[in-house]
């Protein structure tokens, strides 16, 4: 309630006295102080003398200190209710000599809402619109949160309480009269049954009850009720019933439908021929704001066979629009059910009204269809038997809204062939035999935009298209959130959509703004959470701090410190409650707004959240290190494998692959929550995984996220390590000047800090760039580069960094080949291969083998073809798409040179199919490689006599964007086109 007017003071008196400022609850102090506040507040801004205030609060027993005690209550009230810094003369409680006055400007009272809603409802009723009045009276009565001014004492509070209770009685009578006039006799009887005992002596209430009983064809009960009242009045008060009650009694005796029944059913009843049972329609109104549910609606309204009762179950998260869909479908098909359309709210997620017992629901259903169940006992089995017997010959439509479980539904199923039941609930009712099931998801962007446009208006939304998109994203497609946001904009015409978007920044603002009246996104989620067992509540809170949007069972299992099988059961139970989504088998995610709610719940238990977050980060660190080719020697600092470690490198690598593009977010989450050490360790460990998958821009992003925090961690190796990783990554992106700067920084820091491990890595990286001319075409520097590589390899051998030794030999082989020293190059590649075999990872071996075979292709073509087939299979197992493409290019050339032109063409086509797999940002050589592959394929086609296909490949190569930037490949394509009809003999 306090969220209704978040930018003003709101005070409620229709229940316990409560107040909010800017949506924040205020502590109003002890009961006597609240009584003073009420005595000032409810004077409509009038001046109240000290004597009046003392009399109103203390009555005949004023305090000994007299008027001095008033200040001890008024001053704390001012401090509570006024904004900080408010001057005394501008307080909501003004004062003068001998008086106080409460200023109502800028204050919103629920009493004002009651006056506005109640008066409008009574005017609507007087205008002859009982349906509209009933809805308005519902809203007015909902403002009462219990007994007005609850727990307050004193003459003034007692008098005001009586006045407000009388107002509530008037509105209740008016609503009951509307229900009877509408023919909703069962609903009227249900409400009358919930009235306090004092109202059972109310003659007006009894008159309405008698009319409702008569409308349900329970004439005898109506007459008995009158007789009971007559006896009580005579024995206890010595009076007879009043004129109104006597008139209703006489009408019941005469069976006067014309005066007893409501106008909604009177004409039908008066014109009936013989004892025809009146059909009833209890469906709520259709709001007309159902968007984007065409497929689901078609499923619900599709015809059924006439020989059985059909059941449709609609489940989904809170606020996703289940009731709106069910009501729309029911209205579409109600003409198929001549015996009645019934609607029952089962209140599975209601704080104000508990779940009704099945016995009570069955009695209401029996009354709704005109069956007299008074002779049936309260035994559930007896009531079920009566319900099935009565409905066995009827064709009914029954909508059961907000069901808790299948057990709540089964007793209520009708027996008539051709009847239909539509059930909605947050739970997936697996125990219910349903003919069709629908799980509602959030709306797509286009559908959500349409709904927002319907509510706010096309003029405002079309004026701010960017803000509309942002608001749709913040509401995450949830219809309830969109409706609340739209309502806030409807009721605040001065607000722009961009202003509301700004107010929704951050978790707190997002959920605070998604609250209007008695509708709140967080409250809806909280009701689902509160009904979970404690084990599931803890599991749900834990999901709020999972560092990725999507996850498998391993992550929460590590965070909870429990076996995966047990945690999977918890996750599946959360799926069944619609708090958790399962986009594909074994993968889970929270809806965006549900995640915000779960995170807020987790933050309320900081120790639990901290432990869970630490475990999740350790899991990602383990996976990245275990899945890396670097091996134990590559990570000389930081934590060792935890108890949740992975069985082998394959398991770790596959798990990281499933995380997809969210790995960078894990590093960001670690930084955001003050885990800079884990951010650095994880970013470093992910480097080999990212580079091996060709995801170079993600690798750079992760490293640049962690690097600014490297000097703040205790592990002094981290700063040079991350610079080395960035140099390694940028080298693969062909951004050599930046790579060189990072490697030089890494070398400087590692020598300064005595980190010889990182010094070796920096030397190998700098040596490879220098020796291969990446820093400029200076032949005299190749020997310098080679010496750096050798120095780095010696350090790597000293610290058992097998991966770095292999990479050093690999790089040195390229330098020796560039120097024309091919035998030495082969020796280096053989050493790299041997080191790779010692590591035992396919990618470490395949890198060395591929380079080794390049030289074999040049020096020993006959041996190259067989070896390339073996290497291609090995590389494919690594998941390194780029390396596999390069290997296929070499294999195609080997096949071409061996005369196997069809096989060569097939290999080149396969290479072209996957050459585009890495993103353009990650593959600086992408266009050149495509030109090279097409020229190779074109030459093979020409050699096979397939001239038209050859020309097509050469032309396509020249059409690659920026083809002129690659003179070698450009010349090959031009030459291929110029060769005319001459076959090409070299691949």
């Amino acid at each position: 309630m306090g969220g209704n007017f978040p930018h003003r003071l709101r005070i409620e008196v229709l229940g316990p006295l409560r107040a909010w400022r800017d949506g924040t609850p205020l502590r109003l102090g002890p009961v006597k102080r609240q009584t003073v506040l009420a005595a000032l507040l409810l004077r409509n801004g009038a001046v109240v003398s000290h004597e009046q205030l003392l009399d109103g609060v203390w009555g005949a027993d004023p305090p000994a200190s007299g008027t001095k005690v008033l200040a001890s209550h008024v001053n704390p009230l001012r401090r509570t209710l006024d904004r900080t810094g408010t001057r005394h003369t501008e307080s909501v409680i003004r004062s003068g000599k001998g008086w106080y006055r409460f200023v109502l400007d800028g204050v919103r009272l629920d009493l004002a809402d009651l006056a506005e809603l109640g008066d409008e409802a009574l005017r609507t009723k007087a205008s002859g619109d009982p349906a509209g009045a009933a809805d308005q009276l519902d809203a007015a009565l909902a403002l009462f949160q219990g007994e007005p001014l609850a727990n307050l004492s004193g003459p003034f509070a007692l008098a005001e309480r009586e006045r407000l209770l009388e107002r509530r009685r008037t509105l209740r009578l008016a609503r009951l009269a509307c229900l009877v006039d509408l023919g909703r006799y069962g609903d009227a009887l249900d409400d009358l049954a919930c009235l306090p005992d004092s109202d059972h002596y109310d003659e007006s209430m009894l008159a309405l009850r008698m009319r409702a009983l008569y409308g349900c064809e329970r004439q005898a009960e109506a007459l008995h009720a009158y007789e009971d009242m007559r006896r009580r009045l005579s024995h206890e008060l010595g009076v007879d019933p009043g004129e109104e009650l006597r008139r209703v009694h006489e009408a019941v005796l005469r069976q006067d439908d014309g005066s007893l029944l409501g106008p909604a059913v009177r004409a039908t009843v008066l014109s009936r021929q013989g004892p025809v049972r009146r059909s009833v329609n209890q469906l709520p109104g259709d709001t007309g704001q159902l968007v984007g549910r065409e497929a689901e609606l078609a499923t619900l309204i599709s015809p059924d066979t006439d020989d059985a009762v059909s059941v449709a179950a609609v489940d989904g998260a809170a606020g996703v629009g289940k009731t709106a869909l069910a009501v729309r479908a029911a209205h579409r098909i109600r003409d198929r059910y001549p015996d009645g359309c019934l609607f029952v709210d089962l209140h599975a997620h209601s704080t104000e009204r508990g779940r009704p017992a099945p016995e009570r629901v069955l009695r209401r259903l029996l009354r709704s269809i005109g069956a007299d169940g008074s002779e049936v006992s309260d035994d559930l089995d007896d009531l079920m038997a009566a319900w099935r017997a009565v409905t066995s010959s009827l064709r009914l439509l029954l909508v059961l809204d907000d069901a808790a479980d299948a057990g709540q539904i089964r007793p209520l199923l009708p027996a008539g062939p051709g009847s239909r039941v539509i059930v909605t609930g947050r739970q997936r009712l697996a125990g219910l035999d349903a003919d069709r099931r629908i799980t509602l998801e959030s709306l797509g962007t286009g559908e959500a935009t349409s709904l927002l446009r319907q509510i706010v208006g096309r003029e405002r939304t079309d004026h701010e298209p960017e803000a509309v998109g942002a608001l749709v994203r913040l509401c995450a497609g949830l219809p309830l959130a969109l409706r609340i946001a739209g309502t806030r904009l409807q009721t605040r015409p001065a607000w722009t959509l961009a202003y509301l978007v700004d107010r929704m920044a951050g978790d707190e603002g997002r959920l605070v703004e998604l609250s209007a009246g008695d509708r709140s996104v967080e409250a809806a989620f909280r009701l689902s959470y509160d009904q979970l067992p404690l084990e599931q509540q803890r599991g749900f809170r834990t999901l709020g701090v999972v560092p990725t949007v999507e996850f498998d069972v391993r992550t929460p299992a590590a965070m909870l410190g429990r076996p995966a099988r047990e945690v999977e059961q918890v996750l599946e139970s959360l799926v069944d409650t619609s708090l958790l989504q399962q986009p594909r088998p074994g993968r889970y995610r929270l809806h965006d707004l549900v995640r915000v709610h779960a995170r807020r719940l987790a933050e309320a238990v900081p120790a639990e959240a901290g432990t869970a977050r630490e475990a999740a980060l350790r899991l990602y660190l383990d996976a990245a290190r275990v899945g890396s080719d670097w091996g134990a020697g590559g990570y000389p600092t930081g934590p060792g494998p935890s108890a949740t470690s992975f069985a082998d490198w394959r398991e770790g690598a596959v798990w990281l692959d499933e995380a997809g593009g969210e790995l960078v977010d894990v590093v960001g989450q670690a930084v955001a929550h003050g885990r800079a050490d884990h951010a650095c360790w994880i970013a470093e460990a992910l480097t080999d995984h990212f580079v091996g998958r060709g995801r170079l821009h993600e690798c750079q992003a992760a490293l640049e996220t962690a690097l600014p925090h490297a000097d703040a961690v205790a592990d002094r190796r981290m700063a040079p390590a991350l610079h080395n990783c960035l140099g390694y990554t940028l080298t693969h992106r062909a951004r050599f000047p930046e790579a060189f700067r990072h490697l030089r920084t890494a070398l400087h820091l590692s020598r300064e800090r005595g980190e010889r491990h990182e010094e070796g890595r920096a030397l190998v990286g700098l040596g490879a760039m220098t020796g291969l001319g990446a820093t400029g075409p200076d032949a005299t520097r190749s020997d310098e580069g080679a010496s750096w590589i050798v120095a780095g390899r010696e350090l790597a051998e000293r610290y058992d960094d097998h991966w770095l030794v292999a990479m050093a030999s690999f790089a040195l082989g390229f330098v020796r080949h560039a120097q024309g020293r091919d035998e030495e190059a082969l020796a280096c590649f053989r050493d790299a291969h041997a080191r790779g075999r010692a590591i035992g990872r396919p990618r470490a071996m395949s890198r060395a083998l591929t380079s080794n075979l390049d030289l074999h292709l040049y020096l020993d073509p006959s041996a190259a073809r067989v070896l390339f087939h073996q290497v291609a299979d090995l590389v494919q197992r690594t998941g390194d798409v780029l390396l596999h493409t390069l290997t296929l290019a070499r294999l195609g050339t080997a096949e071409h040179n061996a005369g196997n032109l069809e096989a060569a063409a097939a290999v080149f086509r396969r290479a072209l199919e996957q050459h585009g797999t890495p993103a353009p940002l990650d593959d600086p050589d992408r266009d050149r490689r495509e030109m090279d592959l097409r020229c190779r394929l074109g030459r093979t086609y020409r050699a096979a006599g397939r001239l038209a296909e050859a020309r097509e490949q050469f032309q396509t190569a020249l059409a690659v964007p920026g083809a002129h930037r690659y003179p070698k490949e450009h010349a090959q394509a031009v030459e291929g086109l110029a060769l005319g009809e001459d076959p090409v003999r070299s691949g």
Side-chain angles (χ1 to χ4, degrees), residues 427-438:
Q427 288 274 1
R428 292 184 175 175
L429 305 175
L432 182 67
D433 292 330
D435 306 285
R436 59 200 77 186
R437 294 183 184 276
I438 295 172

Side-chain angles (χ1 to χ4, degrees), residues 183-228:
R184 294 170 57 183
Y185 307 120
D187 290 341
L189 289 171
D190 280 345
D191 286 357
L192 284 162
C194 297
L195 294 178
D197 291 339
S198 58
D199 285 341
H200 292 166
Y201 290 84
D202 189 312
E203 293 188 36
S204 296
M205 293 281 189
L206 179 59
L208 288 169
R209 181 166 180 262
M210 290 175 65
R211 290 180 61 194
L213 287 169
Y214 181 84
C216 291
E217 300 182 358
R218 296 160 63 182
Q219 181 186 12
E221 286 186 62
L223 295 172
H224 286 315
Y226 174 82
E227 187 60 28
D228 287 344

